[in-house]
Amino acid sequence: MAKTKTTFFCQNCGTQYPKWVGKCNACNEWNTIVEEVIQKEEKRNWQLSKPTKKASKALKIHEISTLEETRIPTNNNELNRVLGGGLVTGSVVLLGGEPGIGKSTLLLQIALLMQNKVLYVSGEESQSQIKLRAERLAGKNEDCLILTETKTQNIFKIVENQQPEVLVIDSIQTLYTDYIEASPGSISQIRETTAELIKFAKETNTPVVLIGHITKDGAIAGPKILEHMVDVVLQFEGDRNHSYRILRANKNRFGSTAELGIFEMQNSGLREVSNPSEILISEKDANLTGSAIAATLEGMRPLMIEVQALVSTAVYGTPQRSATGYNIKRLNMLLAVLEKRAGFRLGAKDVFLNIAGGLKVEDPAIDLAVVSAILSSNEDEAIAQDICFAAEVGLSGEIRAVNKVEQRILEAEKLGFKKIILSKYNKFPTKNYQIEIVKVGNMMDMVKALF
Ligand code: TYD
Ligand code: MG
């Protein structure tokens, strides 16, 4: 029996210390250093299948042969889009997200929809719990195996017997390996079990999908290097009170990180939302004031989003400003611009802003729709339903150009909008658009164009 060895790890960022300290020098957090027992044995369970390891040789770039990476399609268009076309063989994908957002549901659903042999390993739920969940979901993959196990050595034993084509682990924080004594979920266990799984993936060419919990500030729990080790980091997010879920790639070695997948949580699992604009615009009566539609882009995807504003006289001394799904500082800035550059007295008014559908929008092109919604509510005049907006608003009240404006115009046109209001500084090739394009340069132009 080897001597027990311990080290100190910061539970926030994973930095290792030889002795206990009160504050982590790397991430400046207090009281996050915890002693963990690490005890290594000499032999590893997942041995190199091919012991011959050739030394690599430097090559000129044109001498390197390129092989298209082989991808296993997941039968789910939204996930395929985010992954860049399917699961790359031998890749390791980490899926992070808040508890209850639907990570297990998503992966179980994918496992059931695939035509390949999938081993779904859960350390969180029993086989019968998973069966109950699977009964609600659509797919019926006969070759989907469910295993409840948390020890990597046992998992690898089953993997060797069953030879699955895809391995799913729910979640990396529940796994432990025998070679380390620290408890599951500790930094050293997470690092070690991930390293074993990555080695397994690379040597057998089996794609591995890991579920990772996230900490209170949204980072994937465990050492930061976890994200460097894996090939793809996906983030599953959404508002618990809304049914829409968004899947983003924070890192992707095999595709773009600008793509985005949208799902809707239903009783029968996650439904792919292939035309998100239609659902993000709420049904409403014609003449409601305080609502404007923005042509925004999420990643590469054009989205028409409804912005709702309510402006009312403040009852208390200090007016309230609140924003859901939009940056409150930016809202305050736009209010100041409206006051100073367009002469609207909003200083003594309460302003509430809401982005419909529970989305968070960071695209600056939504500014003009925000301003219009506020003005519409303030003036009590409805904006026609077939108008949409795509422009940024600057501090001096100028309406600024936005990127990829053609995509926005085309999406608006596709959805039947009659008019789009843009910045006059936006350059794009003039085509025969069905939609009327109105160009404005400053706040005053905009107000004239609107009412
Ligand atoms: P889950 O996948 O367990 O979340 P995570 O693994 O990220 O913690 O999701 C659980 C939530 O999803 C739960 O609140 C119920 C809801 N749900 C549905 O609405 N419909 C369904 O078909 C399923 C399986 C779950
Ligand atoms: Mg889960």
Side-chain angles (χ1 to χ4, degrees), residues 295 304 386-389 405-406 408-422 428 431-438:
M304 306 301 286
D386 49 9
I387 300 185
C388 63
F389 304 84
V405 72
E406 263 194 284
R408 303 174 197 262
I409 298 175
L410 290 175
E411 177 77 6
E413 194 176 271
K414 201 173 86 192
L415 289 171
F417 284 88
K418 294 275 167 355
K419 207 193 255 187
I420 183 165
I421 302 192
L422 303 173
F428 54 92
K431 275 192 219 145
N432 269 341
Y433 293 113
Q434 301 273 306
I435 190 169
E436 182 191 347
I437 295 172
V438 180

Side-chain angles (χ1 to χ4, degrees), residues 51-323:
T52 46
K53 194 168 184 310
K54 275 189 284 170
S56 23
K57 200 170 79 181
L59 290 174
K60 291 190 182 141
I61 194 124
H62 66 266
E63 293 171 346
I64 305 169
S65 60
T66 48
L67 289 174
E68 235 340 90
E69 65 264 344
T70 25
R71 290 182 186 261
I72 305 179
T74 61
N75 280 341
N76 183 305
N77 291 331
E78 298 295 302
L79 180 66
N80 281 349
R81 182 208 313 271
V82 177
L83 288 173
L87 284 168
V88 175
T89 49
S91 70
V92 179
V93 178
L94 178 63
L95 172 68
E98 280 181 29
I101 205 78
K103 303 179 293 296
S104 310
T105 308
L106 178 67
L107 290 186
L108 184 62
Q109 188 171 341
I110 303 291
L112 290 171
L113 276 175
M114 283 179 84
Q115 263 129 34
N116 307 69
K117 187 164 181 178
V118 186
L119 178 62
Y120 183 99
V121 184
S122 178
E124 309 205 325
E125 289 156 305
S126 68
Q127 277 161 320
S128 51
Q129 268 176 312
I130 298 172
K131 162 94 190 194
L132 276 179
R133 186 197 295 254
E135 276 170 358
R136 297 165 65 180
L137 304 174
K140 290 275 170 291
N141 183 0
E142 303 267 303
D143 274 337
C144 176
L145 301 169
I146 307 289
L147 170 72
T148 29
E149 180 58 66
T150 49
K151 183 164 149 183
T152 52
Q153 279 75 25
N154 293 348
I155 294 173
F156 288 138
K157 238 176 256 161
I158 307 252
V159 164
E160 240 165 328
N161 289 336
Q162 296 288 351
Q163 303 281 339
E165 288 165 273
V166 178
L167 178 63
V168 177
I169 305 282
D170 185 4
S171 64
I172 188 70
Q173 278 86 3
T174 57
L175 290 195
Y176 73 99
T177 169
D178 253 359
Y179 303 116
I180 283 190
E181 288 243 317
S183 55
S186 62
I187 302 280
S188 38
Q189 276 294 6
I190 294 176
R191 189 159 57 187
E192 201 57 30
T193 47
T194 312
E196 282 181 16
L197 286 163
I198 289 175
K199 205 161 151 226
F200 160 76
K202 302 291 165 207
E203 278 168 22
T204 60
N205 250 340
T206 315
V208 177
V209 187
L210 308 172
I211 288 181
H213 295 170
I214 59 171
T215 59
K216 60 178 185 302
D217 29 77
I220 290 174
K224 198 73 189 152
I225 53 163
L226 194 64
E227 289 175 45
H228 294 291
M229 288 159 81
V230 300
D231 300 301
V232 181
V233 180
L234 302 181
Q235 184 89 23
F236 204 34
E237 54 190 43
D239 191 327
R240 285 290 292 271
N241 304 321
H242 287 83
S243 56
Y244 301 112
R245 303 283 183 271
I246 292 182
L247 186 69
R248 288 176 205 279
N250 287 346
K251 161 183 175 178
N252 192 348
R253 287 192 181 143
F254 313 106
S256 149
T257 51
E259 291 296 351
L260 177 106
I262 302 183
F263 297 89
E264 185 182 2
M265 181 62 95
Q266 292 183 333
N267 281 336
S268 55
L270 290 154
R271 181 181 73 91
E272 296 172 48
V273 177
S274 41
N275 188 2
S277 297
E278 278 173 11
I279 50 161
L280 291 172
I281 300 172
S282 63
E283 296 114 47
K284 54 171 181 177
D285 293 332
N287 292 317
L288 277 189
T289 60
S291 145
I293 313 276
T296 67
L297 277 184
E298 269 290 344
M300 303 301 286
R301 230 169 155 185
L303 278 185
M304 306 301 286
I305 293 180
E306 181 179 345
V307 182
Q308 299 168 331
L310 180 68
V311 180
S312 68
T313 314
V315 206
Y316 306 107
T318 337
Q320 297 185 61
R321 270 79 211 270
S322 110

